[in-house]
Amino acid sequence: MSAISGLWTQSERLWSPGIMADKTRETFEAVRENVEKKSSGADAETMDKMFEAVIEQTTPQTIKTGAIIMLIFESLSLYAAYLMWNLQKKGFYLYLAGIAVAFLAPLLLIGGWLGLITSMAGIILSIFMLILYAFNLKHMH
């Protein structure tokens, strides 16, 4: 189900990257202000530099690149889940390949803190699902 909602979300990001870049920058600014209120000293300076780097990287082009990467990942995941539902082992390996795309592509194509954040956001739930699928790999053929 998350792959379907992910496809919808990423298609919105792909068709209006400028608007989504503005919204993303606003979100990071709000989080930054909240973190600044709660932290002090060297931690605050480090966090401020990180947020500044992310905000600078948040452009329509990086939003579009991230959306394309995540659309590929979501499509692979959805098809892989279908194959695993039909007890086909190759679905597990396709799912694993999709996770690799979601992890490596943002790091290589976007880079920096924004690439890392995009990468981690894409794979957190997927790693958990991969573990659950791995337990049932013996039932697939």
Side-chain angles (χ1 to χ4, degrees), residues 50-106:
M50 183 190 78
F51 278 112
E52 188 63 37
V54 169
I55 291 167
E56 284 179 19
Q57 273 189 299
T58 306
T59 64
Q61 184 57 40
T62 58
I63 294 294
K64 196 176 206 178
T65 302
I68 291 169
I69 292 166
M70 296 310 288
L71 279 168
I72 292 167
F73 164 66
E74 297 290 349
S75 298
L76 284 172
S77 297
L78 192 59
Y79 183 62
Y82 169 76
L83 291 174
M84 287 186 285
W85 180 263
N86 290 313
L87 300 176
Q88 294 182 24
K89 226 180 229 188
K90 66 181 174 183
F92 177 79
Y93 299 112
L94 186 61
Y95 192 76
L96 186 60
I99 291 174
V101 166
F103 181 72
L104 295 174

Side-chain angles (χ1 to χ4, degrees), residues 108-136:
L108 298 173
L109 298 176
I110 297 172
W113 283 107
L114 186 61
L116 182 65
I117 290 169
T118 303
S119 180
M120 289 299 138
I123 66 166
I124 289 176
L125 179 62
S126 297
I127 294 292
F128 175 70
M129 293 302 297
L130 181 73
I131 293 167
L132 293 176
Y133 289 140
F135 283 128
N136 293 301

